[in-house]
């Protein structure tokens, strides 16, 4: 079954297979993409990032956070083509892996990993004046979350995120649950149906952020509807935040196709930042 089909499949059946076969899941131990090095930020096999460095001084750092409804069968290989493109465009790309459902992830472990993975940048001898969190689907959720992770004494943020690009992001967990996105993925990820008490994990409940957010979303996305981005941008602006909706032609995956016009528009957004 393809990644595209799996991403649209009900999460209950997928999670059952994941959890029952957890012992057979091969840990990710090596990077197989063009890179300047794998760097671990923890002891778990999924706690690492792949650093892609351009020739010359980087324009800034882009943290690439892959999607897949937080499920273990999706991994950092989804982000490698984007990291390669960012590297060619003069950015340092930090392609982040993290624990997911079925391999030790969930709430709060996945959040712990994303926060620790971003903070690891402080040890990599990089200029951290510009740190953009860029994430697709569930990765868009984590990218937006990461920009506000330090508020209210939440997670450490010794490396603050300075801007967010959400690519078809799951930005409102309560709406995502109500709409049945991922066949119950949100409830599986949180361990319960989302409520107002889940504000520390829900970008829609963390508004406004103190950094700009761009929401790039395909008009024909039938996996994460464009309403997720549109409603987030509207609420962010009403709360006094800086947010922009960038609608593009295509489906859920066009935004992570480095040959697409959608990705060209994303690179143009990044051009305004570094």
């Amino acid at each position: 079954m393809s990644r595209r089909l799996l991403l649209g499949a009900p999460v209950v059946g997928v999670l059952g297979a994941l959890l029952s076969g957890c012992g057979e899941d091969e840990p990710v131990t090596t990077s197989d993409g063009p890179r300047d090095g794998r760097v671990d930020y923890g002891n778990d096999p999924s706690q690492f990032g792949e650093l892609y460095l351009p020739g010359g001084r980087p324009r800034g750092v882009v943290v690439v956070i892959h999607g897949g409804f937080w499920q273990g069968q999706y991994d950092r290989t989804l982000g490698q083509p984007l990291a390669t493109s960012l590297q060619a465009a003069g950015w340092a790309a930090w392609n982040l892996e993290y624990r997911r459902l079925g391999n030790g992830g969930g709430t709060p472990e996945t959040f712990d990993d994303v926060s620790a993975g971003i903070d690891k940048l402080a040890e990599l001898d990089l200029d951290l004046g510009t740190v953009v969190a860029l994430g697709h689907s569930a990765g868009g959720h984590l990218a937006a979350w990461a920009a506000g992770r330090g508020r209210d004494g939440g997670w450490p943020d010794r490396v603050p995120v300075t801007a967010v690009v959400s690519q078809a992001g799951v930005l409102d967990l309560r709406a995502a649950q109500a709409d049945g996105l991922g066949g119950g993925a949100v409830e599986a990820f949180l361990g319960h149906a989302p409520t107002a008490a889940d504000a520390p994990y829900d970008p829609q409940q963390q508004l406004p952020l103190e950094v700009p957010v761009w929401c790039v979303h395909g008009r024909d996305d039938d996996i994460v509807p464009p309403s997720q981005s549109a409603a987030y941008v509207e609420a962010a602006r009403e709360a006094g935040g800086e947010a922009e909706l960038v609608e593009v032609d295509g489906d859920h995956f066009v935004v992570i196709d480095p040959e697409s016009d959608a990705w060209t528009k994303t690179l143009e957004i990044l051009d305004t930042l570094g």
Side-chain angles (χ1 to χ4, degrees):
M1 184 179 290
S2 70
R3 290 173 183 268
R4 181 182 295 259
L5 290 174
L6 271 172
L7 194 55
V11 71
V12 175
V14 172
L15 274 177
L18 275 172
L19 294 172
S20 64
C22 190
E24 301 174 3
D25 187 28
E26 294 184 4
V28 178
T29 57
T30 60
S31 165
D32 55 16
R35 64 201 184 279
D36 288 279
R38 168 189 164 129
V39 180
D40 294 335
Y41 61 84
N43 296 324
D44 188 89
S46 290
Q47 293 176 320
F48 71 94
E50 297 169 340
L51 183 63
Y52 295 63
L53 294 174
R57 183 181 180 87
R59 300 166 64 180
V61 181
V62 179
V63 181
V64 180
I65 309 175
H66 70 81
F69 280 123
W70 311 282
Q71 297 174 34
Q73 75 267 39
Y74 303 102
D75 63 19
R76 90 287 181 208
T77 58
L78 289 169
Q80 287 176 345
L82 304 188
T84 298
S85 176
L86 291 164
Q87 180 186 43
W91 293 88
W94 179 230
N95 189 33
L96 192 62
E97 191 55 282
Y98 53 92
R99 289 174 290 174
R100 286 107 47 223
L101 290 170
N103 72 341
T107 303
E109 292 83 4
T110 295
F111 298 95
D112 293 341
D113 285 4
V114 171
S115 184
I118 294 173
D119 282 348
K120 185 68 178 182
L121 291 169
E123 303 174 19
L124 301 186
D125 193 26
L126 295 165
D127 183 346
L128 301 178
T130 299
V131 177
V132 183
L134 178 146
H136 174 239
S137 194
H141 157 261
L142 294 170
W145 168 84
R149 70 191 191 279
R151 65 174 54 181
D152 301 324
W155 281 257
D157 62 344
R158 61 176 177 151
V159 177
V161 170
T162 62
V164 174
V165 179
S166 168
Q167 303 170 291
V170 183
L171 300 174
D172 184 337
L173 297 184
R174 291 179 293 182
Q177 172 70 16
D179 292 342
L181 300 192
V186 174
E187 185 170 357
F189 181 56
L190 293 175
H192 55 262
T195 68
D198 295 301
Y201 310 115
D202 189 354
Q204 187 79 17
Q205 298 187 64
Q206 294 178 320
L207 296 171
L209 294 179
E210 297 180 358
V211 303
V213 181
W214 285 265
C215 294
V216 184
H217 215 125
R219 295 183 179 91
D220 299 322
D221 192 334
D222 59 0
I223 294 177
V224 177
S227 59
Q228 278 277 323
S229 289
Y232 177 87
V233 168
E234 181 179 2
R237 289 177 171 176
E238 289 179 353
E242 183 179 350
E244 181 176 344
L245 177 64
V246 182
E247 295 182 291
V248 296
D249 292 331
D251 62 7
H252 186 64
F253 299 94
V254 70
V255 291
I256 57 170
D257 178 357
E259 303 299 322
S260 70
D261 290 340
W263 180 244
T264 298
K265 288 187 177 182
T266 300
L267 291 176
E268 290 172 354
I269 292 169
L270 293 173
D271 284 342
T272 69
L273 299 173

